[in-house]
Structures are given as structure tokens and as C-alpha cells.
Amino acid sequence: MAKITKEEALLYHESGRPGKIEVKPTKAYRTQTDLSLAYSPGVAYPCLEIQQNPDDAYRYTDKGNLVAVISNGTAVLGLGDIGAMSGKPVMEGKGLLFKIYGGIDVFDIEVNEKDPEKFCEAVERIAPTFGGINLEDIKAPECFYIEERLKRTLDIPVMHDDQHGTAIISAAGLKNALEVIGKDISHVQIVVNGAGAAAISCTKLYMAIGASKENIVMLDSKGVISTDRQDLNEQKRFFATTRRDIHTLEEAVKGADVFVGLSKGNVLTKDMVRSMGPNPIIFALANPVPEISYEDAMDARPDVLMSTGRTDYPNQINNVIGFPYIFRGALDVHATAINEEMKLAAVNAIADLAKQPVPDVVNDVYKVNNLKFGRDYFIPKPVDPRLISEVSAAVARAAIDSGVARKEIKDWNAYKKSLSLLLGQETKLTQKLYDTARKHPQRIVFAEAVHPTMLRAAAQARAEGLCKPILLGNDEVIAKMAKELDLSLEGIEIVNLRHPSEQERRERYARILAEKRQRDGYTFQEANDKMFERNYFGMMMVETGEADAFITGLYTRYSNTVKVVKEVIGIRPEYKHLAAMHIINSPRGTIYIADTLVNENPDTETLVDIAKLASKAVRFFNEKPVISMISHSNFGSSQSDGALKVRRAVEEMHRLYPDLAIDGEMQIGFALDRELRDQQYPFSRLYGKDVNTLIFPNLTSARSSYKMLQMLGTDAEIIGPIQIGLNKPIHFIDFGASVRDVVNIVAIAGIDAYVDKLIHSTL
């Protein structure tokens, strides 16, 4: 994992729009009619409907998709009682997780009140706004009273995730771990180190899935909780053991089958682990330092089954596996509560999911190809895309069966499908690209390393494991800038191409280029002079195999870069042109557009090449191309030169590729509206298909299309430009590109380079 510095974290939260979440309108609001419908006088009608039937709030407002994350800041992460306002970044973060994993909207609410009665009164008064309430970071024992009271007084789901989230995930893990080693939960001896909110809730849920209370020993900071102690609150007293011969953790774990740590780091020793029963199960869940490290536990007992709260070890107990999907299922049936039946349904769904074959996307992320149910995998990974459909559906069904649902679900297959599609494609493509690039990090040259954006991107790409960066530029300037930006250059190669030490390499590159272009009038001296330019030098690194890919463009006009790349790298022999593509990742799907950078006013031959290149590129991203050739006209409605060249390009593509889904010329409205296109032009080769690739008639229209989306600040994520048609991976980026834009291209360049190697290794 990349080390997170204070400066990076503060910059992340401060940059751009402060914070991590925002509210966006979901209805039209541009016209006076829109505003009249949204507010006065139109808004009166849903108000009156809700007055007559309060459940109609789910029909006419966002109540059914809105959760309050509420805290008083008395037990914030590992920071303790830091106050309501100080805990706001955590609550916003929880809201972000709700949104990206469950598609759930969140208002984070920080209540400056420690008195449980007054806190509950505040929550009760605002509860009508929400479809559910997630209590967060409230200290014990007050959190028990607060949750129990709100569950009694409110008719919407209330859950204190610090208690029940960990309980649900760890119960699923315990259920499966015991199955792996063939032990019966009703007979195993369980030691729980910690007696706070999470520990109490976990232990009660273990009992709900079959653990015997008599076989459970719980410890707090003073030692074993036993019946002879007089300092116990109601929650601890419930778990007091009658055994008089144990007082310490060392005594408690001797012969035990299960250790669950919800306390602090490094309290479980190797000797204690050695004293446990055969095939011990250890859930060391203190964060960031567990009760015993994974390495120490495995060293002490190779037969141990181990879980932690960390991402860098197997079987992570992570609340994000649970809470977004539990609330998703509860909201979708307008539940009045999250009850024990719903929690147990989540436990069983999570446990069952770990036994199913693991999808490729999960294997890819964790750089394995054989994840299967067993000692090292008995809890699903947080990135498993099936969690939302399996867990949410199980919770929703349990709510209906237990009588707390206001809404029925008739078609469960359709519901599961809707859950899978809920989050759309946004970020999924980039995540897949990143995960794939991490599997085979390539040597990527960053041409303009003295530019802050490029330097930050290189450092970030290195920290995220996307590539092995090579920085071109003055090493002293780069080092100074990195220090000013607080960036680590560890593991990053710097090449000062103008330094005398690089003379031999410059001359070697010059000889290669001069020989390659000698029939184009190149001399050695001319080529040698060009080796002092970063684009020539960097591309020659790729040409000679001393690097795998090259990124440039923040300083250099693309037209100049195109000239250099044609001289040094060249166009693939099966094409006469190169082109560029942008990817538009929108809530309605992914669209590929070309040419967005290179060919200013392409003729028919060039458009054919662009279409062929785009088709190949879309397949590179593992999609089947469905291509529309864009024009101002539709299928011969205009005889202008611009329309004719597109029409002829389509005719040529039809001749060359009779099975390819491509057609035109057509206006963009028909290209993106399948129903309208099918109705008006049923003869089209695109009939019944959703277009995912747009070929524009000129550079102006192509660039304008994605730039307009970019500048309007829509929900579309824009990736590019991606160069297509070159012999080797050379990528130009847009002037003014952000760090994330560059890192996106790094991922693509790395995959491009790796695939290129595979192709050449088979030739």
C-alpha cells in the first residue's frame, strides 16, 4: 500500500471543491416550467399526496434512497472523543462509501451533543427526512442506549455500524472458517478481547449463529470479565464467565479455538497462539496495528486461520462488505427496521458468496488466478461486484419475510439485475484498467518531468503500482521540485538526457535514427542534435526497447509531437494514418469517440483508417464495437462534400467488413437513440444495437463533443487521448491535463505495452 502523508491527505480534502460529497439535482431545472414543477406551484401536489399517505414520501422524494450518517464525535475511528465537527471528514467518507458501493445518497449530520437523551431527541426530530439512519462513531455504553431507543421510536432502519457492521462480516468469516476446519460452532471455545460496542455486538451475533454463551470468555482492559467483578455495566455483565481460574488473556486463550480481537495492537503473543487448540482461528481486528501481526501468527502456528482488518493480508474483515448493501436492501423495500433476521440474512449471503467461484475481476485485482474457498479465502473481497446483488437481495427478502417491509418485490431476478446495473459504468472501467496495469507494471517514460503535473502523476503512478516511471529532465531540478511538492522519488529512475554521461546513448540513438531515416535526408549530425530534445530521446528509448511506453504533451503542441512520432516510431504497416480516441464514461454507458487529436479534416481514405483503428481499439478494451459514422445528414439526405466522404467511408467499411456493426452517415441524435434510429431507419446495420463508438467527420466536431462535456461538468468521466495506429505505445496528453488524467493514460500505456510484448513474443 502507498504511504499516505499528512500533506497528501489534506490536499486531497482541500483541492477543488472542499470535502468529498455534494448534492446534485435529479430532475430538469432549466426552464420556468421546470422550476414551477420543482417548486411553487407544482410542488404543492406531492406535498398534499404525502399528507394523505405518508408512505408516498418514498414515491415523490429521495427519502427511499437517503441515509443519514449521524455522529456526536465521541469515538471517531482510532482518534477517540474529538468532537462532532472534527469527525465530519469521517462522516463524509462514510457517505462516499455508501454512494460508490450502494448508490445511496447521504447527508452527514454531526450533532454536538453527548447527552444520550438529547442526542436521541435531535435525531428523532429530523428522522422524517430519511429512509434510514446509520449511527457512527458514538462511544460505548451510550451507543447501546441510543440505538435501542431510536429503533423503538422510529419507523425507519437504524443501525450503529461500528457495532453491527463488524459483527456481520466477522460472523460470516467465523462461520466459514469453522467450516474450513470442520469444527462445530456450538462446541468451540471463543475468546473475545475487547468489550466495547463492536465486541458486544459481534459476540451476540456469534451466539445467534450457534455459539454457546458458556464457551465464550470476554476481556476488557482490566482482564477477564467474570461474575466476581463489581465494576461491570449491563452489557459486560451479560458475558461474565463463572470460571474462577482465569484472569488474564494468557490464561483465557490456552486451549481456545477462536480468538477475536477488538482491542489494541500487539497484545496477543506468539506463545499465546501456540497455546491455543488445533487449527486456531484468529481474528485480529485492531486497526491499523492488529493484536498480533499476520507474520507472527503464521510463524507461531502454521495451521492458524487468520483475519485482520487490513487490506494487505488475506480474509480482511471490512465493514464496506456489509453496510452499503444492508441499507440498500432495507431501503428498496421501504423497511421500518434492520432486524436480526436481516442481519443474519446478510451473514449467510456473505458467507455463501465466498464459496462460489471467484469472478476474474477479483482475481485480477489481487494478482492471483486461483482464489477459492479455503484457509486463505473464506471472506469475499470488498471489490467483488456480486456483493450488491447477493447481500442486498438477501436483506430485502428477509425484511419482507419478517414483516418489516412496506414494499414487495415480485421479480427477484429483475431486482438483482437492477442492483448490478445501479452503479453504472462510472469508475469501473478505470478501476479495471488500473488493476490490469498493476499486474504487469511497465517502464514508462515521462517526457516533461519538470512539470508539476507530470511529476505528481509519475509519483502517484509509482505509489499505486501502475508502472516503473522513468523521468526525463534535469535531475537537480526534479529533486528540488519533488521536495517542494513533498513527493517521494524512491524507486523512480531519472534520466538527464543533456548530461555528458548520456552522450554515448544520444550518439547511439542518433545512429539508429539516421540509419532508419537516411532515405528521408537524415544525417547523423542532424539526428544527434535532435537527441537533445525530450520527445526524440524518449521515443528512442521505446524504439530501442530501453523503455516500454512514452507519455508527453503538457508542453508540446500535438502537431509537433505527431511529426516526431512518425519519424521515430512510425505507423503500423497495415494503416496509412494514426489517430486518437477519447473514452466517455457516462451513467448511460461507455462511448468511444475518434479522431480527437490528429487528423484535422480527414478524407474518405483517412476516415476508413480511423474506423478500422477505432474498431480494433474498442476490442482492446474487451468490448464489441458498434460504430456510427457521424455527419450532419442521415443516409443520403445531403449531397454535400462532407456528407459524401462519410457515406463513401461507410460503403468501403461495409465492403471490407461485412460482419462489422457499422453504419452511417447519420446525425448524432440518431446514433445515440436506438429506438428513434430503429423506427426511422430499420434497414441500418445497427438495427437493435446500442452504439458505443462514434467516428466524427473532422477534428473540430470530435474535439468539441468531449470538450463540451468536460467543460459543462457533467457526470461523464473522460479518458484520453489514446493514440491508436502506432508501432509502439506512445501517448500524447492534452495541454492542461490533470494528474488523474495523466495517471489514466499511464494505465492504458502500460497495458498497451504489455499486450504489444505478448503479440511480438508470439510472432
Side-chain angles (χ1 to χ4, degrees), residues 291-332:
E291 284 78 2
I292 185 171
S293 71
Y294 180 85
E295 292 82 3
D296 284 351
M298 298 303 295
D299 182 59
R301 290 286 295 272
D303 62 338
V304 73
L305 280 77
M306 182 79 171
S307 283
T308 70
R310 294 177 50 143
T311 60
D312 46 352
Y313 295 111
N315 302 313
Q316 183 194 15
I317 304 291
N318 189 330
N319 283 18
V320 80
I321 295 172
F323 70 82
Y325 315 117
I326 294 166
F327 272 95
R328 178 77 273 158
L331 291 171
D332 288 341

Side-chain angles (χ1 to χ4, degrees), residues 220-231:
D220 62 12
S221 59
K222 297 179 181 179
V224 172
I225 295 173
S226 59
T227 53
D228 58 353
R229 283 179 51 179
Q230 304 301 313
D231 59 340

Side-chain angles (χ1 to χ4, degrees), residues 615-636:
S615 176
K616 183 175 181 180
V618 172
R619 288 191 178 93
F620 174 84
F621 290 105
N622 205 28
E623 290 200 53
K624 187 175 181 179
V626 180
I627 305 173
S628 174
M629 302 284 283
I630 301 301
S631 177
H632 66 277
S633 60
N634 287 311
F635 299 103

Side-chain angles (χ1 to χ4, degrees), residues 493-511:
E493 180 182 352
I494 302 175
V495 175
N496 187 344
L497 68 158
R498 299 188 178 190
H499 196 274
S501 62
E502 293 295 337
Q503 180 178 344
E504 184 278 328
R505 179 150 51 168
R506 290 195 303 269
E507 291 178 353
R508 174 163 52 87
Y509 287 172
R511 285 192 294 272

Side-chain angles (χ1 to χ4, degrees), residues 668-685:
I668 196 164
F670 288 96
L672 297 179
D673 189 332
R674 183 184 66 187
E675 290 185 6
L676 180 63
R677 184 181 66 245
D678 288 354
Q679 180 183 2
Q680 295 293 322
Y681 306 107
F683 58 83
S684 167
R685 191 180 284 192

Side-chain angles (χ1 to χ4, degrees), residues 562 565-566 571 576-580 598-599 613 724-726 732:
V562 168
V565 78
K566 286 181 177 179
I571 298 170
K576 294 182 179 180
H577 308 85
L578 71 149
V598 180
N599 301 284
L613 287 166
I724 46 180
L726 295 172
F732 325 142

Side-chain angles (χ1 to χ4, degrees), residues 638-741:
S638 170
Q639 300 302 313
S640 68
D641 291 342
L644 285 171
K645 71 175 183 180
V646 177
R647 195 177 312 152
R648 289 166 183 157
V650 171
E651 292 169 354
E652 180 65 7
M653 290 297 292
H654 282 179
R655 186 185 68 80
L656 293 172
Y657 305 101
D659 296 326
L660 179 65
I662 182 172
D663 218 331
E665 81 281 16
M666 69 178 71
Q667 296 171 1
I668 196 164
F670 288 96
L672 297 179
D673 189 332
R674 183 184 66 187
E675 290 185 6
L676 180 63
R677 184 181 66 245
D678 288 354
Q679 180 183 2
Q680 295 293 322
Y681 306 107
F683 58 83
S684 167
R685 191 180 284 192
L686 305 180
Y687 185 84
K689 296 180 173 63
D690 290 317
V691 168
N692 61 11
T693 309
L694 305 174
I695 308 299
F696 283 87
N698 54 53
L699 193 58
T700 299
S701 57
R703 287 184 67 82
S704 297
S705 66
Y706 82 83
K707 282 290 186 182
M708 181 172 62
L709 291 173
Q710 196 172 51
M711 298 308 294
L712 288 176
T714 66
D715 285 338
E717 178 187 25
I718 300 172
I719 305 170
I722 301 161
Q723 271 60 57
I724 46 180
L726 295 172
N727 278 319
K728 293 191 177 180
I730 307 296
H731 289 273
F732 325 142
I733 54 178
D734 276 333
F735 176 81
S738 68
V739 171
R740 179 53 62 184
D741 291 336

